[in-house]
Amino acid sequence: MLPNALTLAALLTLSGGASAMTDAALAETVDRRLAGDRTGACFAVAVVERDAVARAYRCADGAATPRIGADSAFEIGSVSKTMTAALLAQLIGQGRASLDDPLASLLPEGTPVPTFDGQPILLRHVVTHTSGLPALPARMQVTDAADPYAALTPEALLASLGDVTLSRAPGSQFEYSNFASMLLSYAVARRAGQPLETLLQERLFAPLGMTGAHLAQTPSHVRAAAGHLPNGEATSAWTIPGDMAGVGGVRATLDDMVRYVQAQLGQAPGADAGPVLASLRATQQPVSQQPPMAMNWMIVPLAGRQVLMHEGGTGGFSSLVGFDPAQGRGVVVLSDTALTALGGLGGLGAHLLEPSMPVSPPRRLATPPAELVDALVGTWQLGPGLQVELARKGDGLTIHPVGQPVFELAYDDAGDFFPVRFDALLSPRRASDGSYSFVWHQGGGAMPATRVRAAAEPAQGRAEATPVAALSDYAGVYPLAPGFALTIDQADGELRAQATGQGAFTLTPSKADVFEAPAYGIELRFERDASGAVIALDLHQGGRVTRGERD
């Protein structure tokens, strides 16, 4: 559920106007983006205008029978956040909330909500992703990687607030946070005094005629579309429990989302929808400027106009909703395949709102350049405690994570390698000196790779390896924040560190009592007392210093 629509903020401001579109013309446009795409994805797409709606259901394999249709309900992911914003706007309209209310005021009494120098997190910070809260709650236990939110409880969600120390004032910097959005979803339902699913049905879906939209209770006349990984494999549906589901748990058909966009453009389906339209208009008003955002809507410059847009993504789906109030034009793109790591749907959405924008091409299988393959062969550090070996196989590559099987990598004409058997992306990067590295994308994260120094290569500018016996001086647990600690131990003659809930990574000595993990920009400086015993450490990362005293 990442904000790929943010990439649209950098689009050039072009001139041109949008013309009326037919179903046939829309299908032809979608095919330019999708036909032959190596993901095998299917799209349900609509262009909404004042007097007409064009629809298309298309698949990468044009010869195949479409596996989606008008009754297919898609996971819309983070587009759900805009619906949570609409519920909040209704509470604000009723005088029961304000964007200037502290988040803490909507949560159970005693919830440990962090502040920065006395400055609280306000609701306006939550709906603009400037709260300072991390992407996910620290106590989120992932028991199934294919359904990561399923085991999360409200108790773990709220308790995770106590694990956070804000590094800057709320409102000062954009940082996309599903954690904050889950808290808002929970808080809105709590303030309204009704379950979130009931709120959505009674206050949004029913008034707008969105008869197939739902969270957990699937209407009898719709069928769940099957989600797919970018390699074409089917994957599990996501479960986001209870009142936290406003972060990304809505499922809807194409026509449901058409009605949603029509309402955003002020086209009421009935007299009883007036209050809903007022709340939708409220969510469209600017709230912050860096980047420009309304209430959970990205405000994107396009051809000299301001359009509102949001993308969504789950494990097996991608979505985009955008609309141009000045032109009375909107677009919906729903995909039964997760495309977030491949750039999402922003290019197609921008073109459908403004025809002068280019259509993003499909990704097709290709043969990688031999010099690129040769440059990437070797051993790389990917993440904490994770090394991988890239090796040549024919014209391509294989990847071998330590302790795991060897996986074959394919290559596409966008210049990326990808595993044939699971969802990830290896994006090569060329430095100014001509050398190559890469970034590994998986599970919504991006990990830069660092080439591992060969055993025979001297460690220039570094201290000699610390004797194994001396490494035991540093072993111990160093609490850095409530519920979060760094555990230091030794293995195979090396010092290791492991943060709570994360994997272990190797530390390299740089000078006396100082160790580094260059791949993560980490430096640890250990402190000794008068007797020479190690008593604390300072963690230096990203310009911040966090102290931990040894337990």
Side-chain angles (χ1 to χ4, degrees):
M1 298 180 288
L2 300 180
N4 286 327
L6 281 177
T7 60
L8 295 176
L11 292 173
L12 295 177
T13 301
L14 301 174
S15 61
S19 58
M21 182 168 284
T22 64
D23 289 357
L26 178 57
E28 186 276 333
T29 299
V30 175
D31 286 345
R32 286 161 54 199
R33 162 61 185 88
L34 188 60
D37 194 274
R38 56 99 165 164
T39 65
C42 292
F43 289 0
V45 185
V47 172
V48 179
E49 300 179 273
R50 288 189 175 94
D51 301 318
V53 177
R55 297 173 178 83
Y57 298 88
R58 309 297 290 176
C59 295
D61 182 358
T65 301
R67 60 195 183 204
I68 58 172
D71 62 342
S72 300
F74 297 76
E75 295 177 7
I76 67 168
S78 287
V79 175
S80 307
K81 293 178 174 67
T82 68
M83 298 175 180
T84 303
L87 297 178
L88 174 60
Q90 290 186 27
L91 290 174
I92 293 172
Q94 296 164 0
R96 301 175 64 189
S98 164
L99 287 179
D100 292 318
D101 284 344
L103 172 63
S105 68
L106 277 73
L107 299 176
E109 186 174 354
T111 300
V113 184
T115 61
F116 183 86
D117 290 344
Q119 301 176 59
I121 298 170
L122 307 180
L123 295 184
R124 66 171 59 252
H125 302 142
V126 176
V127 298
T128 56
H129 294 284
T130 58
S131 68
L133 294 175
L136 293 170
R139 304 192 188 194
M140 176 175 158
Q141 298 297 315
V142 179
T143 58
D144 180 359
D147 192 9
Y149 292 85
L152 182 63
T153 64
E155 291 76 19
L157 177 75
L158 297 174
S160 294
L161 281 166
D163 301 330
V164 176
T165 299
L166 297 183
S167 62
R168 57 184 177 271
S172 61
Q173 183 176 319
F174 180 94
E175 183 178 0
Y176 198 83
S177 174
N178 282 321
F179 181 17
S181 293
M182 281 186 277
L183 289 164
L184 178 66
S185 176
Y186 173 87
V188 165
R190 185 172 184 273
R191 176 60 58 91
Q194 290 181 290
L196 182 68
E197 179 133 29
T198 302
L199 284 173
L200 285 169
Q201 288 292 344
E202 293 183 355
R203 303 191 186 185
L204 191 67
F205 299 158
L208 298 183
M210 299 170 63
T211 60
H214 62 284
L215 291 176
Q217 301 172 21
T218 306
S220 60
H221 65 282
V222 302
R223 60 185 173 99
H228 299 81
L229 302 176
N231 61 9
E233 296 292 324
T235 189
S236 303
W238 270 15
T239 306
I240 305 178
D243 292 340
M244 299 176 287
V247 69
V250 173
R251 297 167 170 84
T253 67
L254 181 62
D255 277 349
D256 290 327
M257 299 310 295
V258 165
R259 293 184 179 94
Y260 186 57
V261 170
Q262 288 173 327
Q264 296 286 352
L265 294 172
Q267 302 174 20
D272 59 343
V276 179
L277 297 190
S279 69
L280 296 181
R281 285 193 297 272
T283 67
Q284 300 171 18
Q285 306 311 307
V287 179
S288 68
Q289 293 301 321
Q290 294 182 343
M293 281 199 68
M295 291 175 63
N296 278 342
W297 286 108
M298 317 296 176
I299 302 175
V300 181
L302 193 66
R305 307 184 304 276
Q306 299 291 315
V307 304
L308 291 98
M309 191 170 291
H310 208 300
E311 289 199 58
T314 63
F317 293 86
S318 293
S319 63
L320 177 144
V321 171
F323 56 95
D324 181 345
Q327 298 291 318
R329 185 181 181 92
V331 61
V332 177
V333 186
L334 304 175
S335 171
D336 70 350
T337 300
L339 300 173
T340 299
L342 304 184
L345 301 168
L348 178 59
H351 174 79
L352 292 174
L353 284 173
E354 172 49 56
S356 64
M357 301 301 299
V359 178
S360 303
R363 287 177 177 250
R364 296 189 171 95
L365 294 174
T367 300
E371 61 272 20
L372 175 60
V373 173
D374 291 338
L376 292 175
V377 167
T379 303
W380 299 83
Q381 187 76 27
L382 247 194
L386 177 60
Q387 282 190 1
V388 299
E389 181 80 20
L390 296 182
R392 174 182 280 278
K393 180 180 180 181
D395 292 331
L397 288 170
T398 62
I399 186 169
H400 183 197
V402 174
Q404 300 183 38
V406 176
F407 299 99
E408 184 177 352
L409 298 176
Y411 182 78
D412 64 31
D413 59 3
D416 293 319
F417 294 87
F418 62 95
V420 174
R421 290 177 50 191
F422 62 94
D423 177 21
L425 198 71
L426 188 160
S427 296
R429 296 289 185 267
R430 186 172 186 176
S432 57
D433 63 1
S435 64
Y436 279 91
S437 63
F438 64 89
V439 177
W440 182 261
H441 302 269
Q442 187 174 10
M447 293 180 285
T450 302
R451 190 180 286 277
V452 175
R453 174 171 50 86
E457 182 183 339
Q460 297 180 357
R462 294 196 177 275
E464 293 294 324
T466 305
V468 172
L471 293 179
S472 62
D473 288 354
Y474 307 101
V477 179
Y478 299 78
L480 301 176
F484 187 80
L486 201 62
T487 300
I488 305 296
D489 64 6
Q490 65 181 81
D492 300 325
E494 295 182 310
L495 200 65
R496 302 187 310 176
Q498 183 171 13
T500 302
Q502 302 178 24
F505 55 94
T506 301
L507 296 169
T508 303
S510 62
K511 52 187 176 181
D513 290 337
V514 179
F515 292 77
E516 297 178 343
Y520 314 106
I522 289 175
E523 182 182 83
L524 295 181
R525 301 180 184 179
F526 291 89
E527 178 184 335
R528 297 178 184 267
D529 62 14
S531 68
V534 174
I535 59 171
L537 64 77
D538 288 333
L539 167 65
H540 294 249
Q541 186 178 28
R544 296 180 57 197
V545 179
T546 306
R547 181 176 175 81
E549 297 187 357
R550 186 178 183 180
D551 272 353

